[in-house]
Amino acid sequence: MTNPRRTPRQLAAVTLRALRRYLWPAPLTPRIRNRGYLRERLISLPLLTVVAAVAFGWAYADVRTDSTALRDSFAPALVGLAEAETSLRIADREAGESLDAGEAVQLSGLSKRYSTRTTRAVQRLNQVARSGALTTAERQELDVVSGLVVDYGTWITFAQNNVADPTLRNAGLSYARSMLCPEPEPEPEPEPAPTTGESAGAGGGYPPCDTGTGTGTGTGTGTGSRPRSDATAVVDRISALEDHLRDRLTDRAALGAPVLAAAVVAALALVLLVRGLWHTQLFLRRRLRLHLSVPLLVAALPLLGVPFLTVDAVLAHRAQQRVVAVAGDLVGRTSPAIESAAEERPFAARPRLLIASLDARARHDLAAGRLASLDGAAPWVTPAGLLGAALTGATLHAYRREYVLVSRSGAAV
């Protein structure tokens, strides 16, 4: 008597054959037994539907969620940080020019642009804090930046109140600028404002804001280095937040390995499912004399939306990649000179590197990178597939049960 126990290799071979039979059933031939064919389809079709629905629904929802996060949190936060940084540097220049007027500033006060820019910087920092894009540590860092901005304004006010004493005035202004930028350099003679703003990245009469705390390229603050996490000045801290936020935005816009794996699994399951449904309809027509199974047709209706959902996901991913490029411009190519030139010439052509222009580009890309009619469809993809799987299983179970009852009288099975 032979040993009925099988070796691991034999078990693996049997398992693979079973999986192949259920996931890729043999074509309909005269040798196929009706009862066995229905049993295999009763298992394979609902299983494939569930796998396709879960994998495709999760991957599609992930891409859509990333687009929503970029549109509602990350892009607005980056724009807010860039505007806060440039506004503070513009305000610093305006404060210096106003204090150079001497005692006249006690009567006229600091320039209106200084008040407007400092107020805008505070508002933008508050908006960034409410954006939801920052981690807990970054939110704490932003609170420190807000406190330093308040202290900066206090020292500018000190310099204004002591404008008659050059020593106290210069001390207050120097300390305020040391809070804004480390090792501030003497302000050079103002240069003519550029007409387009494209060549105004480091000029425009603004002194370089050297961070001196890291290595790399500047971020619209002049010729300084990239900041490290131990940055102390306001511009350093804002630049560090911009770097971290841009990196996380890039990660959200990239298709991770889990999403790619889910997309591959969904594609394979959908191909097998369509093939299985087609062969099942042929079987029902040839063997059971059913010209068309309406329940199976209804269960397959969600498949009609797969091409549209796929196109929507591709458009969303492409838009996310364009936003990554915009984020790089926001972090590395904006400058206070460009903002000032655009503010002084409101009716001129808007420079491409203007923060408002970059913000508009990001919003337009994310708005165009989707099929608007499919908004809100992501949460329903998986439930629709599960409902189709249940309907398919119930239909095939009813067909098999009816065939078994008929075949008990002695018909071939």
Side-chain angles (χ1 to χ4, degrees), residues 84-131:
E85 181 179 341
T86 55
S87 293
L88 287 173
R89 295 199 62 211
I90 293 173
D92 181 69
R93 181 188 181 187
E94 293 296 322
E97 292 180 349
S98 297
L99 293 173
D100 287 341
E103 297 184 8
V105 75
Q106 292 181 334
L107 298 176
S108 60
L110 298 175
S111 68
K112 182 179 179 181
R113 179 181 285 186
Y114 169 82
S115 301
T116 301
R117 284 293 177 173
T118 52
T119 302
R120 181 180 298 181
V122 173
Q123 291 176 344
R124 293 296 181 265
L125 292 176
N126 291 335
Q127 291 175 358
V128 172
R130 296 192 300 267
S131 67

Side-chain angles (χ1 to χ4, degrees), residues 1 3 21 46 96 104 110 124-125 136 140 150 180 183 187 224 270 276 287 326 339 364 384 390-391:
M1 183 175 183
N3 186 2
R21 185 172 68 252
L110 298 175
R124 293 296 181 265
L125 292 176
T136 301
Q140 294 174 351
V150 174
L180 189 66
E183 300 178 1
E187 187 175 356
L270 286 171
R287 297 290 180 87
V326 174
E339 301 299 313
H364 175 268
L391 181 57

Side-chain angles (χ1 to χ4, degrees), residues 55-77:
F56 185 83
W58 182 81
Y60 176 72
D62 185 84
V63 174
R64 268 287 196 160
T65 301
D66 288 341
S67 291
T68 302
L70 264 60
R71 182 183 67 247
D72 298 339
S73 298
F74 286 89

Side-chain angles (χ1 to χ4, degrees), residues 358-396:
L358 295 174
D359 184 24
R361 279 175 52 193
R363 293 177 181 275
H364 175 268
D365 289 339
L366 290 173
R370 75 184 201 278
L371 299 178
S373 59
L374 295 179
D375 289 344
W380 299 99
V381 174
T382 298
L386 297 180
L387 182 61
L391 181 57
T392 300
T395 302
L396 292 177

